[in-house]
Amino acid sequence: MKKARFVGGKRSWRPGKILLSLLLVIALLAVGGCGKTSPTSTTSKEAPKKSQTQTIELRLAHFWPSTHPAEVELVQPWAKAIEEATGGQVKIVSYPNQTLLQADSIYDGVLNGIADIGISCFSYTRNGFPVLEVFELPGITYESSRVASTVAWEGIKELNPKEVQDTKLMMVLTTGPGDIYSKVPVRNLQDLKGLEIRATGLSAKTLQALGATPVAMPQSDAYESLSKGVVKANLGPVEVLKGWRQAEVTQYLTQTPFLYNTLFFVTMNLDKWNSLDPETQKAIEKVNEKFFKEVAAGLWDKQNDEALKWAVDEKGMELIQLPADEAQRWIDLVKPIQDDFVKRMDKQGFEGAKILNTAKTLADKYNKEFK
């Protein structure tokens, strides 16, 4: 390396030395500046940035197949609406066709946290819901599933029975009125005497009071039993005429809007519900209210109407309407079932007459309002 030259008594620096000196000065200034923190800098003691809210995934169990309107028209759109209303915070994943829980275990499964949300029939755990049996009693006329669903939902809110307070009941829905579809015409009580009719639970008790012979079997066995003559009729919602194709093995439909109604629940684990913040709960309840009124309450009406049209137009079924005096005879015969309900409620410490009158009053109101 060449040494520097002295000119006029002063040291003359070569360009390389000047550049090196400038770099040293810059480095010293940078080191000095490290002792101060700018407003936008982050030190090791600074709190980390808050992470985005974690998505809450809720498992929903029900027993209908994935193609059923309950899944396609209610569960999936409702789940999507809740996800949107909560800004993606709550996501519902459906497990249809009993893939998570069996139909008769769904309520207990929700109660115990196996599922977060469940949809099934109250009647599958009959002893657990004594008060709610009032909404399935015979002798109360429901002109549609919209009527029956609205009566049940308002009645539950009014009665506020303890039996539904161990979960968060989000809404209820019903099949609405059930009819008798048969291989032989049923136009009066005499035609009903001794007639073998597929039925279970409360429906069996109802038919027995009318003089028929109930035969217990699941709905899935009814088609074959009707085709082979094991039973001569069935009692249930009209949708099974198409959904289970029972119009292929029956020829007559006797309309009996006072014999049958099945009540379903949509409910959520209470601890899981309480873990949601109030704003999220409010958003979900708003969606629940909208979907109850616009979808759930009348879900079976749509199915029943389509099935009835198909059964009459495509399969040639004959519709039979009971004269008013004949229908009243049937209602009078099933009244003891209502009386027995009142006695059982009173014995268990409930106000049986009040519970029954609540259902009847609401049914009268909404049969007129939704006519």
Side-chain angles (χ1 to χ4, degrees):
M1 180 177 178
K2 293 183 180 180
K3 296 181 180 180
R5 290 187 301 125
F6 289 91
V7 180
K10 294 183 180 180
R11 195 175 226 182
S12 175
W13 294 94
R14 294 174 64 92
K17 291 290 185 178
I18 295 173
L19 179 59
L20 180 60
S21 298
L22 288 172
L23 290 172
L24 289 170
V25 170
I26 292 171
L28 288 170
L29 289 172
V31 171
C34 288
K36 297 179 181 179
T37 304
S38 67
T40 57
S41 65
T42 301
T43 69
S44 60
K45 295 181 179 180
E46 185 178 358
K49 291 181 179 180
K50 187 177 181 180
S51 61
Q52 293 183 344
T53 304
Q54 186 177 6
T55 300
I56 301 169
E57 186 173 290
L58 302 176
R59 298 158 299 166
L60 185 153
H62 70 78
F63 62 88
W64 291 291
S66 59
T67 55
H68 194 280
E71 168 74 8
V72 177
E73 298 178 26
L74 175 60
V75 171
Q76 288 300 328
W78 174 66
K80 183 179 179 182
I82 286 179
E83 185 173 359
E84 291 174 352
T86 60
Q89 182 183 352
V90 177
K91 181 179 178 61
I92 296 174
V93 179
S94 178
Y95 291 83
N97 203 28
Q98 303 185 111
T99 51
L100 181 57
L101 287 165
Q102 294 296 304
D104 59 357
S105 300
I106 288 177
Y107 193 92
D108 287 340
V110 171
L111 185 63
N112 297 320
I114 298 172
D116 301 304
I117 302 173
I119 308 177
S120 191
C121 306
F122 281 111
S123 59
Y124 285 163
T125 47
R126 172 69 65 189
N127 293 334
F129 304 98
V131 173
L132 298 193
E133 187 179 330
V134 71
F135 302 110
E136 297 185 352
L137 288 175
I140 301 175
T141 298
Y142 296 112
E143 297 291 352
S144 66
S145 70
R146 185 184 179 197
V147 169
S149 298
T150 305
V151 168
W153 193 220
E154 286 203 14
I156 289 170
K157 290 178 181 178
E158 183 176 332
L159 296 169
N160 194 27
K162 186 178 180 180
E163 62 205 52
V164 295
Q165 294 178 20
D166 51 3
T167 65
K168 169 60 180 178
L169 192 59
M170 307 183 91
M171 68 179 86
V172 297
L173 60 154
T174 74
T175 60
D179 296 327
I180 295 174
Y181 9 99
S182 55
K183 301 175 76 68
V184 295
V186 176
R187 306 183 192 280
N188 50 53
L189 281 172
Q190 188 59 40
D191 294 336
L192 206 58
K193 296 296 182 183
L195 190 67
E196 297 93 346
I197 305 177
R198 186 219 73 91
T200 58
L202 189 58
S203 294
K205 191 174 182 180
T206 298
L207 290 171
Q208 198 167 23
L210 295 173
T213 302
V215 180
M217 69 176 66
Q219 195 70 263
S220 56
D221 293 345
Y223 183 98
E224 183 177 2
S225 295
L226 285 163
S227 65
K228 292 181 177 180
V230 176
V231 294
K232 302 295 192 302
N234 193 3
L235 172 62
V238 177
E239 58 101 357
V240 304
L241 291 175
K242 185 176 182 180
W244 297 88
R245 304 189 71 84
Q246 291 180 23
E248 296 178 349
V249 289
T250 54
Q251 290 76 46
Y252 305 92
L253 187 150
T254 304
Q255 294 183 316
T256 54
F258 47 81
L259 287 188
Y260 180 96
N261 184 42
T262 294
L263 180 62
F264 305 102
F265 59 78
V266 181
T267 203
M268 182 172 174
N269 178 273
L270 192 57
D271 290 336
K272 183 67 72 171
W273 171 258
N274 289 335
S275 72
L276 302 177
D277 63 77
E279 185 178 347
T280 300
Q281 291 179 344
K282 185 177 179 180
I284 292 174
E285 288 188 321
K286 189 174 181 180
V287 173
N288 291 347
E289 182 179 355
K290 173 182 172 65
F291 269 78
F292 170 74
K293 290 180 179 178
E294 297 181 5
V295 182
L299 184 63
W300 254 259
D301 287 332
K302 183 178 179 181
Q303 297 180 70
N304 290 338
D305 290 345
E306 291 177 356
L308 183 60
K309 180 175 174 57
W310 180 79
V312 173
D313 294 347
E314 300 294 328
K315 297 301 175 182
M317 288 192 74
E318 178 185 337
L319 284 181
I320 299 172
Q321 289 186 325
L322 299 175
D325 58 342
E326 180 67 22
Q328 188 59 52
R329 290 175 63 199
W330 293 39
I331 292 172
D332 290 343
L333 285 174
V334 298
K335 187 178 181 300
I337 298 176
Q338 295 183 6
D339 296 338
D340 178 65
F341 170 81
V342 171
K343 291 177 182 177
R344 285 188 288 111
M345 290 299 99
D346 290 343
K347 190 175 181 180
Q348 295 179 49
F350 303 113
E351 297 179 80
K354 177 184 176 181
I355 295 168
L356 180 59
N357 287 335
T358 296
K360 287 184 173 181
T361 300
L362 289 172
D364 289 342
K365 174 184 176 181
Y366 286 110
N367 279 328
K368 294 175 183 176
E369 186 172 324
F370 295 155
K371 196 167 185 179

